[in-house]
Amino acid sequence: MTKWTVEQLVDAIIQHTEKEYNKSIEDATPEEVYYVISQIVSRTINKSWQQTEKMYHQHKPKQVYYLSMEFLIGGLLESNLLNCGMRDQCNQALTRLGFSPSDIYSHEHDPGLGNGGLGRLAACFLDSMASLAYPGHGLGIRYRYGMFEQRFINGYQTELPDYWLKNPYPWETKKSEEAVEIQFGGNVNMFKRRDGSLEFTYENTDNVLAVPYDVPVVGYKNKVVNTLRLWSAEPVNTVTQTKNDDYYRELENNHSIEQLSGFLYPDDSTEEGKKLRIKQQYFLVAASLKQILKHYKTTERKSLIHLPKKVVIQINDTHPSLAIPEFMRILMDEEGFGWEKAWDITTNVFAYTNHTILSEALEKWPIDMIQSIVPRLYMIIDEINERFCQGIWFDHPELRDKIPKLAVIADDQIHMANLAIVGSFSVNGVAKLHTDILKNQEMKDFYHLFPDRFNNKTNGITHRRWLLMANPKLADLITDTIGPKWIKHPRELTHLLRYVEDRPLLEKLGQIKQENKQKLANYIHKATGILVDDQSIFDVQIKRLHEYKRQLLNIFHVIYLYNELKDNPHLEIVPRTFIFGAKAAPSYYFAKEVIKLINTVASIVNHDPSIKGKIKVVFLENYNVSLAEKIIPAADLSEQISTASKEASGTGNMKMMMNGALTIGTLDGANIEIKNLVGDQNIFIFGLRSEQVYELYDSGAYSANDIYQNDERIAQILNQLRDGLVGHHDIEFKDIYYHLLGSNDPYFILKDFDCYVETQQLVDQAYRYNNKWLSKSLINIAHAGKFSSDRTIQEYATGIWNVKEIF
């Protein structure tokens, strides 16, 4: 890539501003400067992008296609500057021109292409593939609207449209010439050829155009630029002025087509929402497979029999599972393969990552919906199911009684996770515990059938964004201490272990954390009007709001502390600021009630002078990547308190660990692997273990009501929910009260409360010893290299994909 000096960048910014906006740099707005710099960087990237594609075409390596319904990529300007080796020069150039770099970067709207950990993981994986020079690309949907913009009105979550494409997106390139046509619905006609093979034709289909938009994925200082291809749905034909009825019918039809790439995760609590999600999933996989096969035919010019040697497709959770029957359809109906050969090719191309054991997240679609939306695919799925079940019946008689659980089609529904397992050569979990649960509990019968398919690939995060970019002063301190080798080889961070008793270094570490906390405190005041003590413990829980993630347990602890302070205003505790960030799905009523509860407690606590500011509660609106980049460097305590066995891995735990926060958590997901690395003294573990959770579920011995009757603290909190919060008797949360007691506390919030409070008291005591706390913090940073997504991708590359670096 082009080497830029500060002077060259200054000149380029001035010239581009004059050319694009016909104004001097002195008159340019920060937003205009953002677009100018994006244009300069894009031109630099494009040269390497073209060279990378040319290199792939010449060397013809095996390529990875990462198929995902979401890619939570965050802002790209600063990340691209960093990976191009231009960030320091750009920051100096902007400062010289009188602009604040952070102000310029803030004018980039986070793309609405993802929501939570699944999408952020996909983005980290793309970054690592490019930075490690693996030929790997992402395939997703170009949603016009993200999930939603979250706003709080009277403490309630309100959803507003996230029209992130309102202004031009400078990183995408539309490739209209590579658009493909997708067919939905219609009738399938079957004919027998003279040779006895079957031919299928389609009529009365609804056709949609999938138009690709390519976004560059820039490797770190290695001139490799891979591609994230996003599909946008458009009508095949433009609307023409005809009779009024036909014209408006055509307009309505075009509008329904555009909905395919309209919203991320439409509400599937309604029949129409379910149909739209199925259509979105098929739209993604059908367009992507057409592109993959076209590229293979163009570059390889060989029979598709050899495809598994050149292509691997990773399915990111169950959402793209329709790719398996769609691939079979293409191979049989369009390429002329028989079933056995098509199945052999398919099951050597696809690999599946499972991200959850939660039953509601393991997608199941009604048969009649699949039949009406993709009728030919249903025929293929039915045949897959029939052959699979027959295979079990004849080859595994010991599992005959398990066929209803293992079947792809059961209870008038298509089980997408089962389809993905049956149709893939690899099935991986995302943390050791999660994979063990898949093999020994949730999918043990599949593991009995396919023991060689199951493997573990613990998740990771890109340290380039979450440390080098988000926390530059900490990154500089690390480099000054152990040299720069860790940037390309993050496991080198372990060299920091030599300095865990180095007081001058610990003081510098503490100063950097304090500066980050001051910045976040200023942001909180500006965004919410709340003044927080930057000397307090910044206790952070930032993640999707769900019962199993147990934000409710966290706020119960806050209510408990508040009750204690009201009873004893002189109670000696380290001041603490509880920081929340989370979105609840629009139709998830209970989660939205928890948001209202947190905001209500915040309003009460933050305005009560009698507790002398010892605790504050902040719930920041519209949690996204950009907000996470502000919060994570400032975190002291990382809340990872999911019910044991429910969190597949977690990546927020890794991000905060990498930035020096200590974890308080259950033995769940990657928390276990963090604990094994840092040691018991440098993490705060509490609560039930996964085997105890399963035992309580199986035995039915747990009684939430018994805890309510015998723990005065729990009784007080639940009664406050029922009768009104702490003197505010007009604010009730009876639904939460009745849910916990009536549904017997399904995620063991009350069961784990006592040990959670006790462990939080240990946090309070530990924080009082500053040097010891900082030493624990440095130990966590030193071991965080294990959780770089570079390590994860290397494991995928060698253990699943069998791909090699391009150079």
Side-chain angles (χ1 to χ4, degrees):
M1 293 184 183
T2 305
K3 294 282 187 182
W4 289 86
T5 66
V6 176
E7 290 73 20
Q8 288 172 329
L9 268 175
V10 167
D11 291 342
I13 293 168
I14 292 171
Q15 290 171 15
H16 277 73
T17 303
E18 292 173 348
K19 181 179 178 182
E20 294 297 322
Y21 296 104
N22 195 29
K23 60 171 64 172
S24 68
I25 192 67
E26 291 80 11
D27 296 327
T29 66
E31 184 178 38
E32 289 168 344
V33 174
Y34 158 73
Y35 277 108
V36 163
I37 296 173
S38 298
Q39 189 179 73
I40 294 169
V41 178
S42 290
R43 289 180 179 176
T44 302
I45 290 170
N46 286 342
K47 295 176 184 177
S48 294
W49 203 359
Q50 292 166 8
Q51 290 170 359
T52 302
E53 291 179 349
K54 184 178 179 181
M55 188 163 40
Y56 290 159
H57 187 78
Q58 290 174 342
H59 294 278
K60 301 179 182 179
K62 186 176 185 180
Q63 301 208 39
V64 179
Y65 295 94
Y66 199 81
L67 214 55
S68 179
M69 285 296 286
E70 51 175 306
F71 289 90
L72 193 60
I73 58 177
L76 288 185
L77 176 54
E78 191 174 4
S79 174
N80 286 342
L81 283 166
L82 177 71
N83 287 352
C84 291
M86 296 171 60
R87 185 177 68 160
D88 290 344
Q89 296 92 317
C90 187
N91 286 349
Q92 291 177 49
L94 287 171
T95 302
R96 191 175 295 183
L97 290 169
F99 295 96
S100 161
S102 60
D103 185 31
I104 298 300
Y105 303 147
S106 71
H107 280 79
E108 183 167 15
H109 197 301
D110 277 23
L113 301 172
N115 172 42
L118 182 83
R120 185 53 234 171
L121 182 79
C124 285
F125 279 8
L126 293 187
D127 177 277
S128 285
M129 279 190 266
S131 295
L132 296 174
Y134 287 120
H137 314 282
L139 293 158
I141 294 178
R142 180 182 180 265
Y143 303 102
R144 288 198 313 282
Y145 295 89
M147 191 172 180
F148 56 82
E149 287 270 1
Q150 182 192 55
R151 292 291 178 266
F152 297 142
I153 298 179
N154 295 325
Y156 289 101
Q157 172 179 289
T158 302
E159 299 94 24
L160 301 175
D162 176 21
Y163 189 26
W164 69 279
L165 286 169
K166 178 173 62 175
N167 296 319
Y169 186 55
W171 306 110
E172 65 180 10
T173 303
K174 186 175 183 179
K175 296 288 186 73
S176 299
E177 70 281 5
E178 296 184 37
V180 295
E181 203 164 315
I182 310 299
Q183 296 177 320
F184 290 96
N187 304 313
V188 180
N189 300 313
M190 183 171 62
F191 305 94
K192 186 173 283 189
R193 300 188 183 99
R194 289 182 180 179
D195 63 1
S197 64
L198 297 176
E199 179 180 351
F200 295 87
T201 61
Y202 312 92
E203 60 182 13
N204 302 320
T205 57
D206 295 322
N207 293 1
V208 176
L209 204 61
V211 180
Y213 289 74
D214 288 352
V215 177
V217 181
V218 184
Y220 180 72
K221 295 184 179 180
N222 64 358
K223 298 184 179 180
V224 172
V225 181
N226 289 333
T227 301
L228 169 59
R229 171 157 285 192
L230 302 169
W231 298 100
S232 180
E234 295 183 10
V236 174
N237 300 309
T238 56
V239 176
T240 55
Q241 184 67 56
T242 57
K243 293 181 181 178
N244 273 351
D245 288 349
D246 293 338
Y247 174 72
Y248 288 112
R249 193 177 300 116
E250 197 170 350
L251 274 179
E252 186 177 344
N253 179 60
N254 288 356
H255 176 70
S256 68
I257 288 171
E258 290 168 354
Q259 291 305 301
L260 289 174
S261 55
F263 292 89
L264 170 67
Y265 294 150
D267 179 11
D268 64 355
S269 63
T270 66
E271 183 172 338
E272 285 306 309
K274 285 185 175 70
K275 288 180 179 178
L276 180 54
R277 286 188 71 162
I278 293 170
K279 285 182 176 181
Q280 283 186 331
Q281 292 176 5
Y282 181 67
F283 173 77
L284 167 64
V285 303
S288 299
L289 293 181
K290 283 178 182 288
Q291 178 229 311
I292 292 168
L293 290 174
K294 180 182 178 182
H295 182 268
Y296 173 82
K297 289 179 178 180
T298 302
T299 56
E300 295 295 332
R301 302 185 184 278
K302 292 180 181 178
S303 167
L304 291 174
I305 291 173
H306 304 289
L307 188 72
K309 295 179 181 178
K310 291 295 183 179
V311 167
V312 60
I313 301 172
Q314 188 74 39
I315 298 174
N316 192 28
D317 219 13
T318 58
H319 311 125
S321 298
L322 287 176
I324 291 166
E326 171 64 7
F327 203 65
M328 287 290 290
R329 184 196 70 78
I330 295 170
L331 291 176
M332 293 189 298
D333 296 4
E334 298 179 12
E335 301 294 336
F337 285 96
W339 181 278
E340 286 76 13
K341 196 62 206 176
W343 187 245
D344 180 62
I345 296 171
T346 298
T347 53
N348 281 287
V349 164
F350 285 96
Y352 162 55
T353 299
N354 175 277
H355 284 279
T356 184
I357 62 167
L358 295 178
S359 58
E360 69 265 26
L362 294 172
E363 292 180 307
K364 298 182 284 287
W365 298 121
I367 285 175
D368 58 344
M369 285 190 184
I370 297 291
Q371 279 181 313
S372 65
I373 294 169
V374 280
R376 175 65 178 128
L377 255 61
Y378 173 72
M379 296 167 67
I380 294 171
I381 294 169
D382 189 43
E383 183 73 11
I384 291 172
N385 180 62
E386 188 66 26
R387 289 173 180 249
F388 173 61
C389 292
Q390 282 187 14
I392 296 174
W393 182 267
F394 290 111
D395 300 335
H396 296 276
E398 75 280 7
L399 291 178
R400 285 177 179 174
D401 62 333
K402 301 292 180 63
I403 288 177
K405 183 179 179 182
L406 294 169
V408 176
I409 301 176
D411 304 320
D412 296 322
Q413 291 183 312
I414 297 173
H415 295 244
M416 306 305 285
N418 293 8
L419 175 62
I421 295 169
V422 171
S424 300
F425 69 86
S426 168
V427 178
N428 74 278
V430 293
K432 185 180 183 301
L433 174 65
H434 173 233
T435 302
D436 288 344
I437 289 172
L438 291 180
K439 293 194 293 188
N440 302 321
Q441 298 274 353
E442 301 299 326
M443 294 178 179
K444 65 180 180 180
D445 296 321
F446 276 115
Y447 179 56
H448 178 82
L449 283 171
F450 309 121
D452 294 337
R453 293 188 188 182
F454 283 79
N455 60 92
N456 178 63
K457 300 290 177 282
T458 298
N459 281 344
I461 60 170
T462 171
H463 61 287
R464 284 167 290 275
R465 178 179 284 267
W466 295 109
L467 177 50
L468 200 59
M469 189 184 99
N471 202 344
K473 289 190 176 180
L474 176 57
D476 288 346
L477 176 64
I478 294 170
T479 299
D480 291 343
T481 305
I482 63 172
K485 193 175 177 182
W486 70 273
I487 298 172
K488 289 203 172 184
H489 304 281
R491 293 299 287 266
E492 294 288 319
L493 286 171
T494 54
H495 290 304
L496 290 170
L497 293 173
R498 302 170 186 167
Y499 301 92
V500 295
E501 301 295 334
D502 187 318
R503 291 182 71 96
L505 178 66
L506 295 179
E507 286 178 8
K508 291 177 184 176
L509 179 64
Q511 289 167 3
I512 290 168
K513 177 65 73 173
Q514 191 57 40
E515 288 178 27
N516 291 331
K517 290 171 71 172
Q518 288 168 354
K519 286 181 184 176
L520 181 59
N522 292 337
Y523 174 82
I524 289 170
H525 184 237
K526 184 177 179 181
T528 68
I530 300 169
L531 282 170
V532 301
D533 178 3
D534 58 31
Q535 299 294 322
S536 65
I537 301 172
F538 276 21
D539 184 330
V540 175
Q541 188 174 19
I542 44 175
K543 52 184 75 241
R544 179 170 57 92
L545 210 145
H546 193 287
E547 284 178 81
Y548 86 82
K549 294 180 184 288
R550 302 203 297 189
Q551 286 91 348
L552 193 57
L553 177 59
N554 190 342
I555 199 63
F556 274 16
H557 173 239
V558 176
I559 297 171
Y560 158 75
L561 278 180
Y562 181 64
N563 288 336
E564 290 289 292
L565 287 168
K566 292 297 287 183
D567 289 341
N568 179 12
H570 301 293
L571 181 69
E572 186 184 349
I573 64 169
V574 177
R576 197 179 297 214
T577 300
F578 297 90
I579 298 170
F580 294 85
K583 290 182 179 179
S587 60
Y588 194 171
Y589 172 77
F590 184 84
K592 295 173 85 168
E593 276 293 289
V594 173
I595 288 178
K596 171 61 175 173
L597 174 62
I598 295 170
N599 280 324
T600 301
V601 171
S603 179
I604 293 168
V605 167
N606 296 343
H607 293 93
D608 188 339
S610 71
I611 64 170
K612 302 175 183 177
K614 290 181 179 179
I615 57 174
K616 290 284 181 75
V617 181
V618 177
F619 201 141
L620 292 169
E621 288 180 328
N622 204 45
Y623 178 63
N624 57 17
V625 174
S626 293
L627 183 53
E629 290 165 356
K630 294 180 175 70
I631 297 172
I632 287 170
D636 291 310
L637 190 66
S638 167
E639 296 272 354
Q640 309 298 330
I641 58 177
S642 55
T643 308
S645 79
K646 300 301 182 184
E647 185 72 81
S649 169
T651 53
N653 46 8
M654 302 170 187
K655 292 164 192 160
M656 285 191 267
M657 171 197 190
M658 191 172 279
N659 283 271
L662 272 58
T663 301
I664 181 169
T666 52
L667 285 173
D668 197 24
N671 291 353
I672 298 171
E673 292 166 64
I674 293 174
K675 170 186 171 292
N676 291 340
L677 286 171
V678 304
D680 293 346
Q681 301 305 310
N682 302 301
I683 190 171
F684 299 95
I685 296 295
F686 75 96
L688 295 169
R689 296 170 180 261
S690 60
E691 61 270 21
Q692 294 172 312
V693 168
Y694 277 103
E695 184 180 331
L696 288 174
Y697 282 142
D698 292 341
S699 68
Y702 176 57
S703 171
N705 194 61
D706 284 351
I707 295 178
Y708 172 60
Q709 297 294 334
N710 292 291
D711 189 322
E712 292 181 358
R713 301 163 302 174
I714 288 288
Q716 182 180 10
I717 292 167
L718 290 184
N719 290 342
Q720 287 171 327
L721 297 184
R722 182 192 62 197
D723 302 329
L725 274 168
V726 199
H728 294 256
H729 297 292
D730 57 330
I731 304 174
E732 300 170 348
F733 292 92
K734 290 183 179 178
D735 289 343
I736 297 176
Y737 168 90
Y738 287 117
H739 176 73
L740 289 175
L741 296 181
S743 299
N744 199 34
D745 183 21
Y747 294 101
F748 303 108
I749 290 165
L750 307 188
K751 179 70 173 175
D752 276 348
F753 176 80
D754 180 58
C755 52
Y756 180 57
V757 169
E758 187 176 299
T759 306
Q760 287 283 16
Q761 289 169 349
L762 295 177
V763 171
D764 181 285
Q765 291 301 313
Y767 194 78
R768 296 167 191 250
Y769 299 93
N770 186 53
N771 279 339
K772 285 186 178 180
W773 182 277
L774 290 171
S775 180
K776 295 173 186 287
S777 174
L778 190 61
I779 289 169
N780 274 265
I781 296 168
H783 286 292
K786 159 74 184 294
F787 299 107
S788 167
S789 51
D790 287 7
R791 184 267 313 155
T792 314
I793 288 301
Q794 285 170 337
E795 292 180 0
Y796 272 93
T798 57
I800 297 178
W801 300 334
N802 191 27
V803 295
K804 302 191 183 311
E805 302 95 329
I806 194 62
F807 54 77

